[in-house]
Amino acid sequence: VREPERPQRNPGAVASLQLTEQGKMLLKKGEPDAAISILERAVNLNPSNGQNYYYLAEAWLFKGERDQADEFNRLAELYLGTQPDWAGRVREQKDRIRGSRRQ
Amino acid sequence: MRKKSYKGRARAPWLRALALAFVLVGVGLTLYGWFLSTQIEKRFSGRRWSIPSRVFSDSALLYPGQPMGLSALREKLHRLGYREVSGEPRRKGDLRATPHALDLYLHDLVVPSRRREGFRVKILFDREGIRSIVRPVRNDPVPILEIEPEEVMLLFGAERERRELVSIDRVPAHLIHAVLAAEDSRFYRHKGLDLRGIIRALYADLRQGAFVQGGSTITQQLAKNYFLSPEKTFSRKVKELFLSLIVEAMYDKDDILEIYLNEIYLGQNGSVSVNGVGEASRFYFGRPVAELSVAEAAALAGLIRGPNAYSPFVDKERALKRRDSVLRTMRRNGWISQEALRSSLASPLKTVGPKPYARNAPYFVDYLTSQLETLYPREALSSLGLSIYTTLDVEVQKAAEKALARGLARLERSNPSLVRSEPERKLQGAVVVMHPKTGYILAMVGGRNHAVSQFNRITQARRQPGSAFKPFVYLCALDRFTPASLLPNKPKSYEIEGKVWQPRNDEPMTEGPLRMREALARSVNLVAVDLAMQTGLDRVVKTAEAFGFSTPLHPYPSLSLGASEVIPLELARAYCAFAADGVLPYPLSLKEVVDEQGRTLERKHMSIQRVTSPEKAFIMSSMLRSVVTEGTGKSLAKYGITFPVAAKTGTTNGFKDAWFVGYTPDILALVWVGFDDGTPIQASGSKAALPIWADLLNAIPQYVSGGWLEMPPNVVKETVCSLSGKRAVNGCPNPIEEVFLRESVPTEYCRLHQPTNSIQRFIEGIKGLFKGS
C-alpha cells in the first residue's frame, strides 16, 4: 500500500495559522473561551497543525479543565513531538498539567 | 323671604344630586383611570413583545487559495442580504460583481465575543477558486476573511411575528421625522390628543366624501394596537382617548415613540408578520435602520397607513407616490432641506426582496432544539429573542440535501419497483456531515422531506449497520494481527443459543486466506466473523462501546457483520475517531446562545476523548483507504473522487439498508438509504449510498484539501510478501509495502519464496540483521 503524497500547497494551512495567532492573542488577553472558539476553527482548517492543540491545551488549563488540557497536550505531542523547537514546550506543558492535578 | 327660602330649598336637592353625580363620575373616572394606568404599567413595564429566537449557521471563512467559486459566494452574499450595485460599493451591503471579482462593502460582523465594523473588500477569483482578497483603498491583502453567519431558522411561538427591537437612540432623525410626517406631525406638541389633527382629518374626509385621513395621534394608535380590539365602536374610541391621555401622563414622548416604532405592523412575509421599523428596514431594504437613506425612511414611514396597500412588493408606483408625499410633508415641516427633497424624490425605490424567511436545515434545527430544550423551556425559545449560534455550514447543508434528493430519485429511476405513491412510504435516506477532529456537525439531512416526516433518521433511527460495523472488529483485532496477516476465508458454522448459524460471503469468491487489509477492503464476511471469534466477542463489544454507541451491542458472532442496531449519528461519530488520531469528538451542533443584550448564556466547545491509540487509528484509516483504492468503494473514482479517502460500505441482510461512511482528514460524511419499514431496496451500499456521498463531496471543494493523515511516529512501513504476509525476500513475486504498529512488525522472512542458493540466503540473512536493528 502506498500512503498518499502530501499536496504541494495547502492554502487552508496558511489561513489556519492566521487563526492560531488570533487564538494566541486572545489567550494572552485572558479570554480562554474566545481563544478556544478561534482555535477550533483553526483545527477545522488544518487538522495537522499541532500548534492549535498546544494552545487549546493552554486554554483548557487556563479554565481548570485538566482532562481536556491533557487530551490536547497528547495531540500536540503527536504533531510537534519531533519538532525540536516545540518538543520541549509540549513536554513542559505536560508537566504543568500534571503539576496542576497534584495541587 | 319664604319664597327665597322655598326656592333655596327647591334648588338644593337638585344641586346636591348634580354635585353627587359629579363626585360619582369623578370617582368613577379616577378609578377607571387608575385601573387603566395599572393595565398600562403592567403591559409596558414587563416584556413588551415575544421575539422569536434566531438560529444562525457558523460564520464562513474565506482565504486566498480556497477552492470556492465566484457564483457560489455571490449566491451566499445574496442570501445574506447584499445588494448588487452597478457602481462602486459605497454603503454596507453593496456588492458589485464582475466576471472575475466580487467587490463588496461588508456588513458589520456581530458574533459572540467579536464585533467588526464593515469595510470594503475585493475578492478576486481564478479557475482554482479565490485568488486574493484585498482592501481596495490601499490594496492591503486580507489573509483570512470572516463572513457573517446566515440565519437558518426562527423559532416562533404562536404569534408568528417577527421584530427586531431598536432603541430610539439608534433610529436616525430622518426616520423619526418621516414617521411623524406620515402619521402625526405635531406629536411632540400635543398631549396624546390632537384637536387640530382631528378637525383637519374631519375636513379632509368631508371634502372627499370618504374616510381619507385618520386623526389618530401616534399615542392613540399605540393605545389601540396595545390594548384594544380592532372593531370600531364609540365605547372603544372613548377608551382609546382615555388610554392615550394616561399613556402621555405616564411616559415621556421618546419612550412612547420608541414603543410605537417597535410595535407597528409593517407588512407580511408569507405567514409571518413584519413588525417594527427595525425588522421592516431589513425586510424591505436589507439594512439596519441606522443605515436607511432619507428616501428609504420616507418609504418605510409611508407604509404605516397601509402596509400591504403601499408595499413596494405589491404596487411599486403606489409606494413611490406615498413615499414622495411623506418626503414633501417632511420638507413642509422643515425637517429636510430642499436639496435633500430634490435628491430623494429623484432616487428610485430599490428594495431587496421579498425574500421568504429562512427555514433551512429543519432536521438539524429539530436536533438542536431538542438539545436547547434541556436548557430552556420551549416558550422561552420562542419569545426571548435569543440568538443561537451553531456549527451548521449552509453550503454543506445545501449540497447534502441536493445530493440526497438526486441520489434517491436516481435510484427510483433505475429501479421503478422502489417508487411509492404515498409520500410517507417513499424511499428514504439520510446524511450527516462532520468535522472529524472537532465534532462540528456541518450538515444534517434526516429524511427526504421534513414536511412529510419529521422523524430524524440520523439521530432517531436505529438501523443495522451491516458491514459498516466491521472496522470496529478489525480495530480490536489489531492487538493480535497486522494488516499483512493472512486470515482464513472458509465457511464455518457457529452455534448460538443452541442454533447453528453459518455466515456467507455477499459474493461468491474462491476460498483461501486473505490479507487482513484485503479482507476489509473487499468486506469479506467469513473473515470478519472468524476475526471476531478469534479476538473475542466481549472484547469487540467493549471496544465498540468505547466508541460511543449507546444502543445495546450483543456479543453474538453476527455482531461482526453489523447485526446490532446503531444510531447513524453515533456511527458517524465513531468513524471520526479513525480520522482524528483515535480521539472521539462530541458531536457539536450548538456553539453559543446569546440574549438580546449580547450576553452569552450558554457556550459549548469541542470536547474530545481518546478511545484508541493514534497508531491504531492511522492503520485503520490506511486499511479503510484500500476500500476505496481496491475494494467495495472503488467506484468512487468513477464519480470523480480522486483525492485520498478512507471509507466503508455497508449493506444489511436482504438489502434493507445501504450505507457509505467516508472521510478525509478534513471532513466525514455518512449516507444511509433504505425504507422506514425495512422493505429491501435491492441495492448495496456501494450502489445506493456511495454515489450520494460522491455527489456531496464534489459539490463542496472548499472542504477538500487533498491531504492525508500524518503517519504517527510509532507506525512503521515494511515490505512484505503479499502471499505469505511475512517480510519479503528477493524471490517474492509480489512484495508490497505495508504499515505496522512498531511492536507488530513481522520479524520472520517469507518462507514461501526462500532464495534458492546459499549466496542469496546469506545476503538476505545479512539484510535481516540490519533491518532487525
Side-chain angles (χ1 to χ4, degrees):
Chain A
V1 58
R2 279 177 70 86
E3 289 305 312
E5 304 268 321
R6 290 191 141 269
Q8 287 189 336
R9 55 190 278 273
N10 181 1
V14 181
S16 174
L17 276 174
Q18 291 285 333
L19 296 180
T20 312
E21 283 305 308
Q22 288 178 28
K24 214 165 94 180
M25 298 308 291
L26 288 164
L27 258 181
K28 268 189 186 165
K29 282 165 63 182
E31 296 177 32
D33 282 309
I36 291 171
S37 299
I38 291 280
L39 290 166
E40 285 175 3
R41 304 293 302 267
V43 171
N44 285 338
L45 283 182
N46 181 17
S48 57
N49 175 1
Q51 291 182 35
N52 292 321
Y53 305 121
Y54 176 83
Y55 291 115
L56 277 165
E58 286 295 323
W60 283 108
L61 192 57
F62 192 100
K63 282 167 70 75
E65 298 269 354
R66 293 175 199 101
D67 289 343
Q68 284 298 294
D70 204 26
E71 294 286 6
F72 284 110
N73 173 267
R74 277 200 272 184
L75 284 172
E77 194 175 23
L78 183 67
Y79 286 94
L80 301 171
T82 54
Q83 295 182 23
D85 49 336
W86 275 98
R89 293 178 71 179
V90 175
R91 269 197 307 276
E92 180 272 330
Q93 187 183 59
K94 188 185 276 294
D95 290 342
R96 268 190 293 128
I97 295 167
R98 281 187 187 152
S100 70
R101 276 188 194 284
R102 280 195 292 270
Q103 279 167 14
Chain B
M1 186 74 186
R2 276 176 71 187
K3 196 176 176 183
K4 198 175 174 184
S5 70
Y6 170 78
K7 269 186 184 173
R9 275 200 305 274
R11 214 166 24 223
W14 180 81
L15 270 174
R16 270 203 299 275
L18 194 64
L20 187 66
F22 269 117
V23 169
L24 284 175
V25 169
V27 170
L29 284 176
T30 308
L31 283 173
Y32 186 55
W34 174 79
F35 167 73
L36 289 180
S37 69
T38 54
Q39 294 253 300
I40 292 166
E41 173 73 24
K42 199 171 153 192
R43 187 77 172 86
F44 282 4
S45 62
R47 194 178 168 78
R48 289 169 190 157
W49 299 283
S50 276
I51 313 283
S53 294
R54 303 203 288 170
V55 178
F56 290 99
S57 72
D58 209 348
S59 58
L61 296 172
L62 306 178
Y63 50 87
Q66 190 179 28
M68 186 176 209
L70 183 146
S71 55
L73 182 56
R74 190 177 181 182
E75 200 180 300
K76 181 179 181 69
L77 293 169
H78 285 166
R79 288 200 302 270
L80 286 165
Y82 284 82
R83 302 165 304 274
E84 299 250 351
V85 292
S86 49
E88 200 172 88
R90 291 178 187 282
R91 300 166 70 189
K92 288 171 188 171
D94 283 355
L95 165 70
R96 179 171 59 174
T98 58
H100 303 292
L102 291 174
D103 191 355
L104 63 150
Y105 206 124
L106 292 165
H107 289 144
D108 291 343
L109 175 76
V110 184
V111 287
S113 70
R114 285 199 302 293
R115 192 185 164 87
R116 183 202 64 202
E117 271 291 304
F119 59 92
R120 204 178 139 199
V121 72
K122 194 167 184 177
I123 305 169
L124 294 129
F125 294 82
D126 58 20
R127 250 186 261 166
E128 310 288 315
I130 296 174
R131 194 177 78 206
S132 65
I133 307 173
V134 291
R135 295 180 81 143
V137 183
R138 294 199 329 225
N139 238 21
D140 287 340
V142 178
I144 189 159
L145 180 67
E146 188 171 9
I147 300 284
E148 63 267 27
E150 289 185 43
E151 188 177 282
V152 177
M153 204 185 276
L154 290 166
L155 303 179
F156 283 111
E159 300 93 350
R160 297 194 69 75
E161 285 180 359
R162 206 183 145 140
R163 176 181 281 113
E164 181 183 318
L165 296 182
V166 287
S167 133
I168 191 89
D169 309 328
R170 300 191 64 188
V171 179
H174 55 259
L175 177 58
I176 291 176
H177 289 143
V179 170
L180 299 188
E183 295 300 314
D184 186 1
S185 297
R186 289 171 29 80
F187 173 70
Y188 280 99
R189 280 176 275 166
H190 61 65
K191 293 284 177 197
L193 299 177
D194 184 16
L195 284 176
R196 228 197 277 180
I198 293 168
I199 293 164
R200 195 175 51 244
L202 271 173
Y203 175 68
D205 293 350
L206 287 170
R207 209 174 56 176
Q208 299 283 322
F211 183 77
V212 291
Q213 204 175 102
S216 293
T217 64
I218 277 176
T219 321
Q220 282 174 279
Q221 290 182 42
L222 188 63
K224 186 169 63 184
N225 286 358
Y226 248 82
F227 301 99
L228 302 170
S229 53
E231 80 272 10
K232 290 181 175 176
T233 60
F234 181 73
S235 63
R236 200 212 63 148
K237 195 71 189 168
V238 170
K239 197 174 174 186
E240 178 189 303
L241 294 178
F242 270 110
L243 282 166
S244 307
L245 292 170
I246 295 166
V247 167
E248 288 271 349
M250 289 174 73
Y251 296 93
D252 72 31
K253 286 283 186 184
D254 280 351
D255 285 340
I256 296 168
L257 190 59
E258 183 179 273
I259 299 170
Y260 177 79
L261 291 175
N262 283 301
E263 166 62 24
I264 37 173
Y265 170 69
L266 283 165
Q268 197 71 25
N269 188 2
S271 64
V272 181
S273 69
V274 179
N275 291 68
V277 292
E279 188 57 42
S281 174
R282 290 201 190 271
F283 177 61
Y284 291 104
F285 302 109
R287 55 175 114 246
V289 276
E291 292 173 23
L292 284 180
S293 68
V294 172
E296 287 164 344
L300 204 62
L303 284 166
I304 301 171
R305 184 178 290 177
N308 295 312
Y310 295 112
S311 166
F313 302 143
V314 176
D315 188 341
K316 207 155 191 169
E317 271 307 302
R318 202 170 178 200
L320 201 66
K321 274 187 190 163
R322 176 74 185 136
R323 178 199 75 172
D324 293 351
S325 154
V326 174
L327 283 167
R328 289 192 185 94
T329 312
M330 288 170 83
R331 175 64 196 135
R332 267 202 304 278
N333 282 283
W335 289 328
I336 53 171
S337 65
Q338 187 59 36
E339 175 53 28
L341 174 68
R342 195 192 54 74
S343 66
S344 298
L345 288 173
S347 68
L349 182 52
K350 273 179 132 180
T351 54
V352 286
K355 199 174 69 173
Y357 284 131
R359 202 184 135 68
N360 295 315
Y363 290 103
F364 176 86
V365 175
D366 285 351
Y367 173 64
L368 177 83
T369 312
S370 69
Q371 293 182 323
L372 283 167
E373 280 172 5
T374 62
L375 303 167
Y376 309 100
R378 184 176 278 260
E379 204 183 291
L381 290 173
S382 61
S383 64
L384 294 182
L386 305 174
S387 294
I388 299 156
Y389 294 89
T390 72
T391 57
L392 191 86
D393 182 313
V394 177
E395 264 69 46
V396 181
Q397 177 68 27
K398 286 188 183 300
E401 285 170 2
K402 201 169 167 187
L404 182 66
R406 281 163 47 140
L408 295 180
R410 196 170 42 228
L411 271 170
E412 287 172 334
R413 270 198 311 276
S414 66
N415 183 357
S417 73
L418 300 178
V419 178
R420 303 282 184 277
S421 53
E422 306 95 314
E424 62 278 6
R425 290 189 59 232
K426 274 184 184 290
L427 178 65
Q428 282 293 347
V431 181
V432 64
V433 187
M434 295 174 78
H435 261 303
K437 269 270 162 75
T438 55
Y440 279 28
I441 298 175
L442 301 172
M444 184 185 282
V445 193
R448 199 169 187 176
N449 187 339
H450 188 264
V452 172
S453 159
Q454 292 82 50
F455 180 68
N456 189 336
R457 289 153 194 87
I458 288 295
T459 59
Q460 296 173 308
R462 285 159 190 245
R463 308 286 303 207
Q464 289 187 347
S467 299
F469 188 79
K470 283 176 184 164
F472 304 98
V473 176
Y474 278 72
L475 172 77
C476 196
L478 278 179
D479 287 333
R480 281 184 61 190
F481 302 94
T482 74
S485 299
L486 289 172
L487 305 170
N489 174 28
K490 275 197 294 196
K492 266 190 192 173
S493 297
Y494 301 90
E495 200 178 304
I496 309 154
E497 292 173 351
K499 285 183 185 167
V500 174
W501 179 61
Q502 195 170 27
R504 280 180 303 182
N505 285 332
D506 289 335
E507 285 172 10
M509 59 195 303
T510 51
E511 287 180 18
L514 288 168
R515 277 179 297 117
M516 190 183 188
R517 175 183 291 275
E518 203 181 353
L520 180 61
R522 294 169 66 183
S523 202
V524 182
N525 289 346
L526 298 182
V527 173
V529 179
D530 191 60
L531 204 55
M533 296 308 283
Q534 287 198 57
T535 308
L537 289 170
D538 288 333
R539 285 192 61 209
V540 173
V541 169
K542 211 173 157 193
T543 301
E545 280 174 349
F547 277 70
F549 292 105
S550 64
T551 45
L553 301 170
H554 306 290
Y556 299 137
S558 58
L559 169 73
S560 55
L561 304 184
S564 292
E565 290 175 344
V566 297
I567 296 168
L569 180 62
E570 292 182 351
L571 184 63
R573 178 198 183 197
Y575 269 75
C576 284
F578 295 139
D581 306 304
V583 164
L584 187 72
Y586 176 80
L588 204 64
S589 55
L590 172 69
K591 285 180 88 174
E592 208 144 341
V593 180
V594 174
D595 71 9
E596 282 171 312
Q597 283 73 42
R599 289 178 299 226
T600 295
L601 303 179
E602 192 69 35
R603 182 185 278 127
K604 299 270 183 197
H605 290 307
M606 71 181 274
S607 170
I608 56 171
Q609 183 196 349
R610 174 151 300 184
V611 288
T612 188
S613 71
E615 290 79 18
K616 282 184 183 169
F618 179 84
I619 288 174
M620 283 309 303
S621 292
S622 173
M623 287 201 289
L624 289 171
R625 208 172 67 79
S626 292
V627 172
V628 175
T629 55
E630 59 196 74
T632 53
K634 205 173 172 183
S635 59
L636 264 191
K638 195 178 85 184
Y639 293 99
I641 303 292
T642 53
F643 49 86
V645 170
K648 188 70 194 80
T649 51
T651 312
T652 55
N653 261 349
F655 297 99
K656 287 178 186 161
D657 306 84
W659 300 85
F660 192 79
V661 194
Y663 62 87
T664 72
D666 312 296
I667 199 161
L668 178 144
L670 172 149
V671 178
W672 168 83
V673 177
F675 280 105
D676 284 341
D677 63 4
T679 305
I681 62 164
Q682 300 155 34
S684 63
S686 59
K687 287 275 185 327
L690 177 149
I692 296 170
W693 192 96
D695 205 6
L696 161 64
L697 266 283
N698 280 326
I700 48 170
Q702 65 271 32
Y703 276 100
V704 179
S705 71
W708 185 236
L709 302 162
E710 290 210 3
M711 197 163 89
N714 285 323
V715 172
V716 290
K717 287 181 183 175
E718 185 56 79
T719 305
V720 293
C721 173
S722 62
L723 298 175
S724 67
K726 310 275 193 243
R727 272 187 163 175
V729 293
N730 270 354
C732 292
N734 189 19
I736 51 163
E737 196 175 61
E738 187 53 272
V739 287
F740 298 93
L741 299 172
R742 191 176 289 282
E743 64 271 21
S744 312
V745 183
T747 49
E748 280 183 57
Y749 282 88
C750 174
R751 285 169 184 268
L752 295 177
H753 311 102
Q754 282 294 323
T756 48
N757 63 52
S758 54
I759 297 169
Q760 276 180 315
R761 277 204 296 276
F762 175 72
I763 293 168
E764 290 300 333
I766 296 291
K767 272 161 69 178
L769 278 175
F770 280 106
K771 280 200 170 170
S773 65

